[in-house]
Amino acid sequence: MTRATVLIDGNNFYASCEAVLDPSVIGRPLVVLSNNDGCIVSRSAEARALGIPMGSPYFKLRQQLQRHGVIVRSSNYGLYADMSQRLMATLEVWVEELEIYSIDEAFGLLHRPAATNGQPGDLRDWGQRLRQRVRRDLGLPVAVGIAPTKVLAKLANRIAKRDPLQGGVFDLGALDDPSPWLEATAVEDVWGIGRQLSRWCRLRGIAHARALRDMPPGELRRRCGVVGLRLQQELQGHPCLPLVSLPPAKQETCVSRSFSQPVTSLVELRQAIATYLSRAAEKLRRQRQRAGAITVFVRSSPFDGSSFYSNAATAVLLLPSNDTGVLLAAALPLTDSLYRRHKPLQKAGVLLQQLQPDSLLQYHLLAPLEPQQQRRREVLMATVDGLNRRFGSGTVQWAACGLQPVWAMRRSRLSRAATTRLSEVPLVRA
Ligand SMILES: [Mg+2]
């Protein structure tokens, strides 16, 4: 029995999540916009067919979209993250090991059974069953690529997605000779080939994945060392990139946003920083970590030319903490030091650094901490997090965050939070 690597990837993930929530958009062109309703980041198949380009600014296409009756949605990250978790939980059952690679993409390992003639067996049926299961349980369309290695699984997934004859599943490992498929994949489209490397390949006449697989390894090694060799080995079907099942403990956590309109007052800037910090501290507590240092950064619009302003300030905490109150006390003075009266700011953020597990706390001689007081604060934080989880983010918040932020992200076309907020669960009248 041999091992197979599978890559499962959501089709038009954000747009598909919107359709799960609101079936009336199924079969209609729909696009999802990035933060502040900036650019198009996801398109339904129908929007794609209209030739609406990915990544283009919304304001430029507004009229064209209207003319075609395209449905426009602000990004609803709460919904996408929740659907992603459900997707990954389903996939976990179907493979022996799972590596969550991005919000809508995961690698899996499974055994490939041998066929009766001793040749490698075909996993297409398995892939189809998985695809139907995800469709039935979650309403999400996915493509399944199966191959001996990660690089080839990526390639197989691409074929599964693009070739209508494959029905969303492609098993490269079951073929006697995968060469024609590698030949049909441009070198730029091989996973791990950046723009520079693909230019280098093209100059050498290496135009597709097959040529890359068969080129002299010495040449590849001279150009990009062991990374290039690994990539070539993977293309040849020899696994070199292991699955990373457990995400490594995070060293840093960052929350930053662009403002919907330039921020010019210190009061507003402090509110924004306090809001981002509360979010970051919440993340930290969820990850069971404490931060040893905190950085606040601000910048004006990059189109400001000579008056462009960008600055950052860091404070090291005597005692690592994940207590929003403690972190705020460190962050707000930093914010004051960064503020300039005549510099309208477009973006700001908070970076929590020197993260460490909350099971270890190195006490500091100069920062005495009452164990009882410490415990009380922990209970308080857990209560706040619990309330916000249950009744929606921002139900309980620090006064420093402000009540009606004018700088908050623009999300004028947001769908409901029907999978994460009880009050927005749809009502069925029967
Ligand atoms: Mg995808």
Side-chain angles (χ1 to χ4, degrees):
M1 246 193 301
T2 47
R3 299 267 257 178
T5 304
V6 47
L7 177 70
I8 304 115
D9 184 9
N11 301 351
N12 321 322
F13 187 67
Y14 295 171
S16 301
C17 288
E18 294 289 339
V20 169
L21 211 61
D22 178 4
S24 75
V25 307
I26 293 173
R28 296 170 61 191
L30 178 145
V31 296
V32 177
L33 306 177
S34 61
N35 282 348
N36 285 317
D37 294 348
C39 302
I40 292 172
V41 288
S42 182
R43 305 162 297 169
S44 69
E46 294 77 15
R48 208 179 278 236
L50 284 174
I52 295 162
M54 187 75 159
S56 41
Y58 173 51
F59 74 91
K60 279 194 184 162
L61 289 180
R62 194 189 302 247
Q63 281 179 346
Q64 191 193 338
L65 295 175
Q66 231 161 28
R67 223 174 22 250
H68 289 294
V70 177
I71 300 159
V72 179
R73 291 282 159 82
S74 306
S75 28
N76 186 345
Y77 290 115
L79 170 68
Y80 312 148
D82 181 60
M83 292 304 291
S84 171
Q85 269 178 22
R86 293 173 193 224
L87 174 63
M88 300 308 167
T90 303
L91 298 182
E92 207 126 36
V93 180
W94 281 70
V95 294
E96 283 149 39
E97 265 178 67
L98 188 76
E99 173 186 339
I100 299 172
Y101 186 67
S102 73
I103 190 162
D104 70 331
E105 230 177 310
F107 286 103
L109 268 187
L110 67 159
H111 280 291
R112 181 187 290 282
T116 40
N117 58 4
Q119 290 293 304
D122 196 325
L123 283 167
R124 265 181 306 178
D125 277 350
W126 175 88
Q128 282 300 349
R129 282 200 308 278
L130 169 61
R131 215 169 150 259
Q132 282 154 15
R133 186 53 178 261
V134 172
R135 188 79 195 219
R136 194 196 76 188
D137 289 1
L138 303 172
L140 290 174
V142 295
V144 181
I146 311 162
T149 67
K150 279 173 124 177
V151 169
L152 287 176
K154 265 280 203 199
L155 201 143
N157 187 283
R158 208 183 131 78
I159 299 168
K161 213 169 251 175
R162 282 163 191 253
D163 186 343
L165 294 176
Q166 308 303 333
V169 177
F170 190 71
D171 185 358
L172 203 69
L175 303 175
D176 289 337
D177 181 15
S179 298
W181 294 99
L182 267 64
E183 223 169 276
T185 305
V187 73
E188 292 77 16
D189 296 328
V190 174
W191 186 45
I193 295 278
R195 200 178 302 169
Q196 286 191 359
L197 194 53
S198 64
R199 205 176 314 142
W200 179 82
C201 287
R202 287 274 173 185
L203 285 173
R204 265 152 200 79
I206 292 158
H208 45 68
R210 181 186 179 167
L212 184 62
R213 180 194 71 183
D214 299 338
M215 77 179 283
E219 217 177 309
L220 202 56
R221 170 187 270 160
R222 273 193 299 281
R223 172 62 174 75
C224 39
V226 71
V227 179
L229 288 186
R230 270 197 213 128
L231 190 99
Q232 190 177 40
Q233 289 272 310
E234 285 255 326
L235 277 175
Q236 291 166 359
H238 311 301
C240 294
L241 305 171
L243 245 60
V244 187
S245 302
L246 282 177
K250 282 185 136 188
Q251 304 293 305
E252 288 185 347
T253 197
C254 176
V255 174
S256 73
R257 300 274 187 278
S258 297
F259 301 128
S260 55
Q261 56 194 74
V263 161
T264 51
S265 86
L266 178 59
V267 176
E268 284 172 11
L269 181 62
R270 287 175 66 113
Q271 288 179 357
I273 292 298
T275 305
Y276 303 159
L277 183 84
S278 317
R279 190 55 60 80
E282 204 181 304
K283 270 191 184 173
L284 218 55
R285 293 192 290 268
R286 201 175 333 129
Q287 292 160 203
R288 309 207 57 87
Q289 287 178 314
R290 290 194 177 93
I294 176 168
T295 294
V296 174
F297 56 92
V298 299
R299 70 160 168 78
S300 66
S301 162
F303 302 108
D304 280 353
S306 60
S307 66
F308 178 68
Y309 172 64
S310 165
N311 208 347
T314 301
V316 175
L317 303 170
L318 277 183
L319 268 185
S321 178
N322 58 17
D323 183 321
T324 308
V326 172
L327 296 171
L328 270 175
L332 290 178
L334 297 178
T335 311
D336 297 347
S337 75
L338 295 175
Y339 174 74
R340 301 286 181 274
R341 185 186 294 268
H342 299 296
K343 297 285 182 194
L345 298 171
Q346 193 212 30
K347 186 169 186 164
V350 172
L351 189 63
L352 297 179
Q353 295 149 302
Q354 298 176 19
L355 303 190
Q356 44 194 273
D358 70 355
S359 49
L360 306 164
L361 184 57
Q362 175 87 54
Y363 284 86
H364 194 287
L365 198 61
L366 300 177
L369 190 71
E370 278 296 324
Q372 206 185 350
Q373 168 71 1
Q374 166 76 5
R375 236 179 340 265
R376 243 193 253 148
R377 294 294 303 188
E378 280 170 14
V379 172
L380 175 63
M381 293 303 129
T383 309
V384 169
D385 291 344
L387 285 169
N388 286 335
R389 247 195 321 272
R390 181 154 174 209
F391 298 107
S393 153
T395 303
V396 181
Q397 62 171 9
W398 267 254
C401 300
L403 287 177
Q404 278 183 328
V406 285
W407 42 266
M409 233 178 14
R410 212 169 8 228
R411 289 163 105 186
S412 56
R413 292 161 170 275
L414 191 60
S415 49
R416 291 169 302 150
T419 66
T420 48
R421 196 173 290 180
L422 202 57
S423 62
E424 299 196 18
V425 169
L427 214 61
V428 178
R429 293 177 210 282

